[in-house]
Amino acid sequence: MNYDRLFSDALKTVKDEGRYRIFTDIVRQRGNFPEAVWHTEKGEKNITVWCSNDYLGMGQNSKVIDAMKNTLNKSGAGAGGTRNISGTNHVHVLLEQELADLHQKEAGLLFTSGYISNEATLSTLAKLLPDCVIFSDSLNHASMIAGIRNSGCKKHIFRHNDVEHLESLLKATDPKLPKIIAFESVYSMDGDFAPIKEFCDLADKYNALTYLDEVHAVGMYGPRGGGVAEQELLMDRITIIEGTLGKAFGLMGGYITSTHDIVDAIRCFAPGFIFTTSLSPVIAAGALASVRHLKESQNERKMHQERAATLKKKMLEADLPVMPSLSHIVPVLVGNPVVCKQASDILLNEFNIYVQPINYPTVPRGTERLRFTPSPLHTDEMIDHLVDSLKSVWARLDVKRFLKAA
């Protein structure tokens, strides 16, 4: 058997479909975000980053950096083990308490990423509930899908944000069985919001637990950055709130918050938590400073919403196909994977604009797009340069022909 040929054939399929991904080798510039230096074979080039998940620029915040420096000098670099074996540093405990408070829950639990927190929690949660049935939104993140699949429980997929479809599935399920409704607050590829209240009403009616992924909303919405559930005064109706430290908070890591018993059960039974080296205290200290800052400061959220609104307005005025989005995410439809990659390459090489193409399987085929994430630190000049550049690229590639075909 020619093993190498099998791998090369698999890669060829991805390349032929125009969705082969190439890493862009950049160095973020402290104090100069969203500018970065792009390392190429021909040398270095200054670019503007338009696709970062560091939504508020908190990775550059002086409080965050100082907290990390101080902890590095005090504790050293790594955690030294799993949480059970020497890897629980006091800053982990403080951060978990801060996150529980952020979401008005009894307890919190840290993971090394948002992916792991979703996969480990959902797979473990369902295994602990005999004959559990999970109801999952059709656009849930891959980490939620993996957790549900790995739980081995029965599942139902309801149409995206479709309250009536969800109720029909709940109604047809044995009322005696334990049930979990799993959904996100902000869907990162379309930028739309979930009908959280309506989902909670159904959970009450059909005696189900609720699992809310707030990764694209924590730090961004609500008076203290608790997410969309906080903004809509619904946190007390959510059983488990999951979030990330890798987006608005500017670091890395994931977490859940819930009751003491649920959090403790995940801590005791989830392999993805038990057997993983814990977050570096340096990272945890930076995240703690970030969470505390965004609980108090409104400036970043206000500026961010204004920047996103300004970008959408100018794109619409330029007749660019901005997809409907009520959130801070600004997706622009292309509709073809090859052209989407070409547009991204031209923007980077000729206009010094870095935005990644979003292709299948992240989004359905035929809905390929460029996904822009403006931050409070993107200036009017940067926005104008982006819009003018997009107009030029759109005309050159005749992107409208794919939109008409769709």
Side-chain angles (χ1 to χ4, degrees):
M1 180 177 289
N2 187 336
Y3 290 104
D4 287 340
R5 177 65 179 272
L6 294 174
F7 292 120
S8 63
D9 285 349
L11 289 170
K12 184 177 184 300
T13 299
V14 175
K15 292 176 180 177
D16 288 346
E17 291 179 3
R19 56 186 182 92
Y20 180 73
R21 303 181 185 190
I22 298 172
F23 291 148
T24 303
D25 181 2
I26 67 172
V27 177
R28 283 158 50 105
Q29 303 296 295
R30 181 186 171 187
N32 203 29
F33 182 80
E35 301 293 332
V37 174
W38 176 31
H39 286 257
T40 73
E41 295 179 355
K42 298 179 180 179
E44 298 180 352
K45 189 175 183 180
N46 293 322
I47 61 171
T48 302
V49 179
W50 274 101
C51 54
S52 175
N53 283 340
D54 186 359
Y55 292 137
L56 301 178
M58 289 300 294
Q60 307 285 313
N61 183 277
S62 60
K63 293 180 183 178
V64 172
I65 292 172
D66 289 345
M68 296 179 77
K69 284 181 177 178
N70 292 337
T71 302
L72 179 64
N73 292 331
K74 180 180 179 180
S75 300
T82 65
R83 290 291 297 275
N84 287 316
I85 306 176
S86 82
T88 295
N89 188 285
H90 185 55
V91 72
H92 295 125
V93 177
L94 293 177
L95 179 53
E96 286 172 341
Q97 292 172 350
E98 201 74 35
L99 292 166
D101 173 77
L102 176 66
H103 296 293
Q104 297 174 12
K105 299 298 182 188
E106 295 176 356
L109 190 66
L110 287 171
F111 296 81
T112 50
S113 74
Y115 189 103
I116 297 297
S117 57
N118 269 334
E119 193 283 328
T121 301
L122 282 167
S123 62
T124 303
L125 190 67
K127 288 176 182 176
L128 293 174
L129 299 173
D131 300 316
C132 180
V133 182
I134 295 185
F135 301 81
S136 176
D137 189 287
S138 62
L139 292 189
N140 276 343
H141 189 264
S143 58
M144 300 175 76
I145 295 169
I148 294 167
R149 182 184 297 118
N150 293 339
S151 74
C153 74
K154 185 174 182 179
K155 65 179 183 295
H156 294 291
I157 311 301
F158 60 90
R159 290 187 292 271
H160 178 53
N161 282 348
D162 192 327
V163 177
E164 291 183 1
H165 187 216
L166 173 58
E167 180 162 25
S168 70
L169 295 172
L170 286 163
K171 189 180 296 185
T173 301
D174 185 344
K176 296 179 182 178
L177 296 179
K179 294 172 282 293
I180 303 169
I181 303 172
F183 55 100
E184 302 181 37
S185 59
V186 178
Y187 287 85
S188 62
M189 291 302 121
D190 292 341
D192 57 338
F193 293 96
I196 300 176
K197 179 183 180 300
E198 289 79 2
F199 287 165
C200 289
D201 290 342
L202 290 180
D204 291 344
K205 183 175 179 180
Y206 294 95
N207 192 26
L209 303 181
T210 47
Y211 184 99
L212 175 61
D213 176 319
E214 287 259 40
V215 297
H216 291 278
V218 290
M220 310 287 293
Y221 300 93
R224 299 197 309 160
V228 179
E230 182 191 29
Q231 181 172 278
E232 297 183 0
L233 305 177
L234 295 169
M235 286 196 297
D236 62 318
R237 301 187 65 188
I238 303 295
T239 312
I240 299 174
I241 295 178
E242 183 267 349
T244 185
L245 305 171
K247 293 183 170 61
F249 293 128
L251 278 298
M252 68 170 290
Y255 65 88
I256 60 165
T257 62
S258 188
T259 64
H260 283 300
D261 284 349
I262 289 177
V263 168
D264 205 23
I266 302 303
R267 183 184 72 86
C268 291
F269 290 98
F273 174 82
I274 295 170
F275 298 105
T276 300
T277 299
S278 60
L279 281 175
S280 164
V282 177
I283 292 173
L288 180 61
S290 184
V291 172
R292 286 176 172 171
H293 174 79
L294 290 174
K295 279 183 176 180
E296 301 294 332
S297 175
Q298 302 297 325
N299 292 336
E300 290 83 2
R301 284 188 282 276
K302 289 179 180 177
M303 291 173 61
H304 186 265
Q305 289 296 323
E306 184 277 325
R307 293 286 78 188
T310 297
L311 178 59
K312 291 176 189 177
K313 179 176 180 291
K314 292 194 174 186
M315 283 182 166
L316 287 170
E317 290 173 347
D319 197 29
L320 292 165
V322 183
M323 300 174 68
S325 165
L326 297 175
S327 72
H328 57 282
I329 293 164
V330 186
V332 179
L333 186 62
V334 177
N336 179 280
V338 174
V339 175
C340 196
K341 180 67 167 62
Q342 287 175 339
S344 172
D345 289 344
I346 294 171
L347 287 168
L348 182 60
N349 288 297
E350 299 184 25
F351 297 94
N352 303 329
I353 290 169
Y354 176 32
V355 58
Q356 277 294 102
I358 306 296
N359 293 331
Y360 177 84
T362 307
V363 296
R365 287 186 172 90
T367 68
E368 292 82 5
R369 67 201 65 176
L370 298 177
R371 174 183 174 271
F372 298 92
T373 54
S375 78
L377 302 175
H378 283 91
T379 65
D380 286 337
E381 291 75 18
M382 291 175 182
I383 291 176
D384 289 339
H385 174 60
L386 171 63
V387 172
D388 290 342
S389 302
L390 280 171
K391 287 168 62 178
S392 174
V393 173
W394 247 240
R396 187 191 313 182
L397 297 177
D398 192 17
V399 175
K400 287 186 177 181
R401 72 185 189 275
F402 299 107
L403 303 180
K404 291 177 182 177

